[in-house]
Amino acid sequence: MSSKFQELKNGIVYKNLFNGNWIESNTKKLIDIKSPINNKIIGSIQQMTKEEVDKSIENSKKAQKLWSDTPINERSRILNKAADIIEESVEELSDILVIEIAKDRKSAVSEVKRTADFIRFTADVSKQLEGETIPGDSFPGMKNNKISVVTRVPLGVVLAISPFNYPINLSASKIAPALAAGNSVILKPPTQGSISTLYLAQVFNEAGIPSGVLNTITGRGSEIGDYIVTHKDIDFINFTGSTDVGQHISKISTMKPLLLELGGKDAAIVLDDADLDEAADNIVAGAYSYSGQRCTAVKRVLAIDSIADKLVAKIKERVEKLKVGHPEEEGVVVSTLINSKSADFVMELIDDAKGKGANLLVGGNRKDNLIYPTLFDNVGLDMRIAWEEPFGPVLPIIRVKSIDEAIKISNESTYGLQGCIFTKNIDRAFYIANKLEVGTVQVNNKPERGPDHFPFLGVKASGMGTQGIRYSIEAMSRPKAIVLNLNKAN
Ligand code: NAP
Ligand code: G3P
């Protein structure tokens, strides 16, 4: 462990960042973090108490006042320094992701490098934070004696809650824009992913953010979550995670502005004029990378009947070649899922599909928490896999008779994150894209969140609000109007 991360822990117990220092909880109540790969304890985190949460948020509120007065060019410099530190620590941070969340090394390195790029781009965008001036007399009946000077100001204390599958990137995607806008941040990491996330917090600390501008709160969301999200001094909640938890937060966090990035059931619609090799390549990469544990994973294929046999054969051929094994192994795509609860759920969906007559072409079996790449054809709309989010390496193929049937089935999902269309006909692509009830439609590409300056949003059960660097900065800031009432000089 490089020296910059030494202070994070005492033995195997990871501390929390509070007011610029790494501190131990008074309760000594610990949660062991075990690697999904071998179930060995890789560290312990602290279950913080409500009193400690109060202190952390109080400290954050004070620090935010000073931070909001920090010049934007200084905030930008610190963000760039954080990006530098990440780039110096790619191997160390990737190692942690591999062991803590069983992310294959290629995806782990990609997450870390992407995070540095994200923060650097945010630093640049922060310099473009501008307002406007509006003359009063452009409105009917008004004289030219009023002018509104509009600037953007921070919201205050931002609560950032991130998911297990991108603990570094999806924490930074909240922290960096929040800091750029002049907010302070309370970071609640995913329990499985906490260690990776605490390393990221130290990156910002090492980069020179003032004490208290970023504080961490570890502990199970189910135990401390409600207290934090309803805390009177939290001014904004930036949450990425499951729809169930997101909707719960939305219900209890009365009047707090929210940014919610939730679950998905992204459909790949393949038309009869598609390049079937291109479609199969994208569908398999989209469905199975990081063992299918991505919100933007392809989670159903809607294939026009006339090309379905050919497409299915191409997908099957690719699925059978997917490398399964230890996430450290070169080329591994599918590895153990994050925990047994997730693996049990995926097997429930597989067994339901088998029981209702889906045609199992590949996989369908499990070893511990590893689910082998699974492919179903002829999936019916009566099957759970047609509608529920597995968050695992299982792909259902639903055959459809027309474009309109594909649109109908796609839109009947409670989710609305992304969708993708494979066709050579731009008119048909736009016809479908305009009708899909999702945040983003990819044409001839798998669904994906990046590049990170694009808007990224879910509708319906997939979320609320828009992520994406500039969009996130805007979400975590607001206009402030100062109206000058000009008395005519005599
Ligand atoms: P999760 O179980 O909802 O947990 C997400 C975060 O919420 C974790 O930090 C969790 O803490 C915390 N949490 C749990 N209960 C809470 C509560 N009552 N109050 C406040 N926070 C609480 O989701 P996950 O298993 O980490 O991630 C997988 C899910 O997230 C999938 O549904 C996936 O589709 C979705 N996701 C969506 C996106 C997107 O951008 N749309 C990206 C990634 C993942 P603990 O870990 O301590 O429980
Ligand atoms: O589930 C994580 C979500 O943000 C997807 O990101 O870049 O893999 O599409 P990406």
Side-chain angles (χ1 to χ4, degrees):
M1 174 191 292
S2 58
S3 59
K4 69 171 81 75
F5 296 118
Q6 289 293 351
E7 57 187 303
L8 256 67
K9 62 180 189 172
N10 175 7
I12 65 162
V13 177
Y14 283 84
K15 306 172 189 176
N16 270 287
L17 183 58
F18 171 75
N19 198 34
N21 299 304
W22 288 93
I23 59 156
E24 296 196 45
S25 166
N26 296 323
T27 61
K28 308 294 181 204
K29 187 176 174 188
L30 300 177
I31 301 167
D32 289 339
I33 306 300
K34 298 178 180 176
S35 172
I37 301 166
N38 54 22
N39 211 32
K40 286 185 179 160
I41 294 175
I42 55 177
S44 301
I45 59 167
Q46 302 171 98
Q47 178 71 52
M48 285 175 73
T49 64
K50 289 179 179 176
E51 294 70 28
E52 290 167 333
V53 167
D54 288 342
K55 274 185 69 180
S56 187
I57 295 174
E58 181 189 4
N59 173 250
S60 182
K61 188 173 180 178
K62 285 188 187 129
Q64 190 271 329
K65 304 292 182 213
L66 296 174
W67 179 244
S68 65
D69 290 338
T70 303
I72 290 175
N73 55 54
E74 175 61 6
R75 294 184 212 157
S76 179
R77 184 192 67 76
I78 292 172
L79 289 177
N80 276 311
K81 178 66 180 164
D84 294 343
I85 294 169
I86 289 175
E87 285 168 348
E88 293 158 12
S89 316
V90 169
E91 287 313 309
E92 190 164 10
L93 296 173
S94 302
D95 288 346
I96 299 159
L97 287 174
V98 169
I99 196 167
E100 187 175 17
I101 64 168
K103 183 162 272 193
D104 60 277
R105 173 155 294 277
K106 183 181 174 191
S107 300
V109 170
S110 168
E111 175 174 349
V112 174
K113 289 183 174 176
R114 171 185 187 179
T115 301
D117 293 341
F118 184 104
I119 295 171
R120 220 179 280 291
F121 197 100
T122 303
D124 291 345
V125 173
S126 67
K127 294 176 194 168
Q128 299 154 23
L129 262 183
E130 294 169 349
E132 57 186 343
T133 56
I134 306 169
D137 56 349
S138 54
F139 197 80
M142 295 301 295
K143 297 192 178 65
N144 61 346
N145 60 352
K146 283 181 184 293
I147 187 166
S148 181
V149 179
V150 185
T151 57
R152 287 204 75 83
V153 298
L155 300 180
V157 179
V158 167
L159 170 59
I161 304 176
S162 47
F164 82 82
N165 64 338
Y166 278 84
I168 289 179
N169 185 265
L170 284 171
S171 294
S173 71
K174 300 167 176 57
I175 296 167
L179 298 183
N183 302 286
S184 61
V185 176
I186 292 287
L187 176 61
K188 176 13 223 159
T191 293
Q192 193 74 33
S194 286
I195 296 172
S196 308
T197 309
L198 293 174
Y199 271 74
L200 175 74
Q202 173 58 6
V203 164
F204 284 100
N205 196 39
E206 185 81 6
I209 56 169
S211 300
V213 167
L214 173 64
N215 288 342
T216 64
I217 292 177
T218 52
R220 293 198 188 287
S222 54
E223 290 188 31
I224 198 71
D226 286 6
Y227 186 73
I228 305 173
V229 302
T230 57
H231 196 284
K232 67 179 178 57
D233 290 328
I234 293 292
D235 299 301
F236 185 90
I237 301 170
N238 195 330
F239 173 83
T240 300
S242 65
T243 292
D244 287 351
V245 173
Q247 289 177 335
H248 171 72
I249 290 173
S250 175
K251 280 182 195 142
I252 66 172
S253 59
T254 46
M255 286 296 286
K256 287 191 195 309
L258 294 167
L259 179 49
L260 300 176
E261 298 289 354
L262 307 177
K265 189 69 181 178
D266 294 4
I269 298 173
V270 185
L271 304 190
D272 55 10
D273 68 330
D275 175 335
L276 297 184
D277 285 310
E278 177 185 57
D281 288 341
N282 273 277
I283 287 167
V284 172
Y288 296 94
S289 63
Y290 185 39
S291 311
Q293 296 174 118
R294 290 169 51 248
C295 62
T296 50
V298 173
K299 297 181 183 136
R300 51 193 171 148
V301 175
L302 304 175
I304 294 286
D305 261 339
S306 61
I307 49 86
D309 286 347
K310 284 184 186 167
L311 175 68
V312 169
K314 289 177 183 290
I315 293 174
K316 178 174 182 292
E317 180 190 356
R318 287 159 173 81
V319 174
E320 287 170 336
K321 289 178 183 168
L322 289 173
K323 189 165 182 183
V324 177
H326 191 292
E328 273 294 8
E329 280 178 63
E330 179 70 30
V332 162
V333 173
V334 173
S335 189
T336 179
L337 294 186
I338 197 70
N339 56 39
S340 54
K341 180 184 168 196
S342 298
D344 292 346
F345 179 68
V346 175
M347 285 310 295
E348 266 183 47
L349 300 183
I350 288 173
D351 292 340
D352 175 80
K354 285 159 73 173
K356 290 175 181 171
N359 180 11
L360 177 62
L361 300 179
V362 184
N365 50 328
R366 166 187 187 172
K367 182 172 180 256
D368 300 327
N369 293 336
L370 168 69
I371 308 282
Y372 287 89
T374 299
L375 176 64
F376 281 109
D377 190 7
N378 307 106
V379 168
L381 302 183
D382 61 327
M383 299 174 194
R384 292 177 58 188
I385 193 68
W387 306 107
E388 296 182 44
E389 178 184 51
F391 229 58
V394 53
L395 180 64
I397 293 175
I398 300 166
R399 296 179 178 224
V400 295
K401 293 181 175 26
S402 69
I403 288 175
D404 288 327
E405 186 186 4
I407 293 167
K408 179 175 181 294
I409 293 172
S410 181
N411 288 340
E412 281 174 350
S413 172
T414 55
Y415 294 106
L417 192 59
Q418 296 201 4
C420 59
I421 305 162
F422 293 91
T423 177
K424 296 190 186 81
N425 183 317
I426 194 71
D427 294 326
R428 296 166 99 190
F430 270 89
Y431 172 79
I432 298 169
N434 286 325
K435 289 180 180 291
L436 292 184
E437 295 164 4
V438 294
T440 303
V441 179
Q442 302 276 355
V443 179
N444 294 324
N445 198 71
K446 66 184 182 300
E448 59 190 8
R449 171 166 52 107
D452 290 322
H453 65 310
F454 281 6
F456 180 72
L457 66 153
V459 297
K460 303 197 289 187
S462 290
M464 194 161 78
T466 304
Q467 199 179 241
I469 292 169
R470 178 169 57 82
Y471 300 87
S472 294
I473 293 176
E474 286 174 357
M476 294 182 280
S477 60
R478 64 171 177 83
K480 176 73 173 279
I482 298 173
V483 177
L484 302 181
N485 291 279
L486 309 171
N487 298 314
K488 276 229 174 295
N490 46 28

